[in-house]
Amino acid sequence: MVALADCGGSAPATANHTYPATGLVLLSLSDGSRRATASIGTDPVAVIVSEDGAVAYVADSSPGDVYAVRLPDLGVAWKQHVGGAPFALLLHAGRLFVSLFSGSAVVELDPTTGARLASHPVPQGPAAMSVDAGGRIVVAGTRGQVNYLDGTSIRAGHGFGIAVVNGHVWTADYERAELVPAGDGHRVGLPLPVFPFWLAPAPGDTLLIAAEGAREDTDPGGVFSFDVATAKFTTLGLPRDPDQVLQAGSKVLVASHGDRAVLAIEGGRTSAWAPGAYAVAIAADPLLNLLVVAVN
C-alpha cells in the first residue's frame, strides 16, 4: 500500500491548447513529460493497453465505436462500431470485452482485427468489468448487483466501479458513498461524503477509490486507498472530478477531469502532469514506459 498524506484540492490547471479536445496523450511514466498526442474519436471515455504494450484500445461512447491504436506512433489499426454507448474495456483470454452502458450487453471483439465474436445480454447499465478469483468476467451494475456473462448475478452496490482484491469482488454504491463486497451484506462508508465512481486494485491487498463531489466538475471529490484487511482508509487527495485511478510502480495516478490534468501522487507529494488536458481515463504501459491518457 502507498500510504500518502492528504494532498488537498488544487485549482484547475491552466488551459493548454497543445492537447487535443478528444483523443489520446502519451506521457512518460517516469516524469509525466509529453511524448505524443493524437485526435481520436469524439467522446472517448475509456482506454486500456495490450499485455505486450503495443496497442491501446479506446471506447468512444457517443458514436458507439471502439478503436485499436498502435503505440507509440498512435496510428489507428482498426475501428469497430458496436453501438450502445461503450463504457469500459477488458482484455481477457485473448478477447477484448466491451460493456455497452445503454445497450444492456457485453460484446467480445477480436483484439487483432476488431471483428465481433459474441454478445452477452446483461441487465441495463453495465459499467466497469473485472475477472474474479475463478477466472469469470464480472460486470458492475447500477441496479444493486454484479453480473456474470452466463446470466447469473449477485448482490452488490448500485454503482459503476468494480475491482477484485485478495480474491474478493468489491463494488461501489455511488449514491450512498459506500463500498460493498459483492454477495455480502457488509457495507463500508467512505471517510468523506463523496460519490465513488472508479475502483482499482493496488499492491498489498488495497483498493483505490476515485470519488466525485456533489457538483462533479467543481466540488472537491476524493481519492482514497482502502486496506481491505484492516478496513482503514488513507486519503490521497481531493481532486475535482477524478474519473479514474490506478497504481503504476510507486505512483498513484489520477485522471482528474475537473483539474484538467493527470495527478501523480508519490511519497506524500502531488504533481500535475499534462496541465490543461481534460483527462478522463488512463492506462499504464510499463513496457514502453508510457502513460496513455484519454482526453475529452
Side-chain angles (χ1 to χ4, degrees):
M1 173 174 142
V2 179
L4 303 175
D6 183 348
C7 66
S10 59
T14 303
N16 185 332
H17 298 294
T18 62
Y19 295 105
T22 59
L24 294 183
V25 174
L26 300 185
L27 306 176
S28 165
L29 261 180
S30 300
D31 60 11
S33 56
R34 192 179 68 166
R35 291 292 182 260
T37 68
S39 295
I40 295 171
T42 59
D43 187 26
V45 297
V47 63
I48 60 171
V49 172
S50 61
E51 187 175 347
D52 64 4
V55 180
Y57 300 96
V58 182
D60 196 16
S61 181
S62 291
D65 297 326
V66 177
Y67 289 84
V69 182
R70 294 185 299 271
L71 299 174
D73 68 280
L74 295 180
V76 174
W78 55 256
K79 173 185 174 182
Q80 175 64 267
H81 181 71
V82 294
F87 183 97
L89 304 165
L90 176 72
L91 286 163
H92 179 64
R95 304 286 181 95
L96 174 63
F97 294 83
V98 186
S99 62
L100 305 183
F101 189 77
S102 65
S104 300
V106 173
V107 297
E108 296 182 37
L109 303 181
D110 183 324
T112 303
T113 66
R116 187 189 291 243
L117 302 174
S119 181
H120 307 273
V122 293
Q124 184 178 359
M129 298 174 286
S130 189
V131 178
D132 74 4
R136 295 197 298 165
I137 291 174
V138 59
V139 187
T142 52
R143 296 189 166 188
Q145 81 291 320
V146 294
N147 306 294
Y148 291 96
L149 301 188
D150 63 3
T152 60
S153 64
I154 53 177
R155 289 183 304 160
H158 295 73
F160 309 93
I162 192 167
V164 176
V165 177
N166 195 24
H168 299 286
V169 177
W170 286 84
T171 68
D173 197 304
Y174 185 86
E175 295 294 340
R176 292 189 174 98
E178 294 174 333
L179 302 177
V180 184
D184 186 342
H186 179 57
R187 290 174 172 264
V188 181
L190 295 186
L192 295 172
V194 289
F195 306 100
F197 176 70
W198 194 265
L199 306 179
D205 292 339
T206 59
L207 183 68
L208 295 174
I209 305 108
E212 300 171 345
R215 289 175 295 184
E216 185 176 316
D217 255 351
T218 58
D219 288 348
V223 174
F224 311 98
S225 177
F226 177 69
D227 187 319
V228 301
T230 64
K232 179 182 178 181
F233 284 95
T234 301
T235 301
L236 306 181
L238 305 175
R240 294 168 178 84
D241 191 18
D243 283 334
Q244 188 175 353
V245 60
L246 60 81
Q247 184 153 349
S250 60
K251 300 180 183 73
V252 173
L253 301 169
V254 184
S256 184
H257 188 258
D259 290 312
R260 304 176 195 171
V262 174
L263 303 182
I265 306 169
E266 184 175 25
R269 297 172 63 90
T270 300
S271 302
W273 289 1
Y278 285 86
V280 293
I282 50 178
D285 188 342
L287 292 180
L288 296 183
N289 193 37
L290 293 173
L291 182 70
V292 184
V293 184
V295 296
N296 187 356

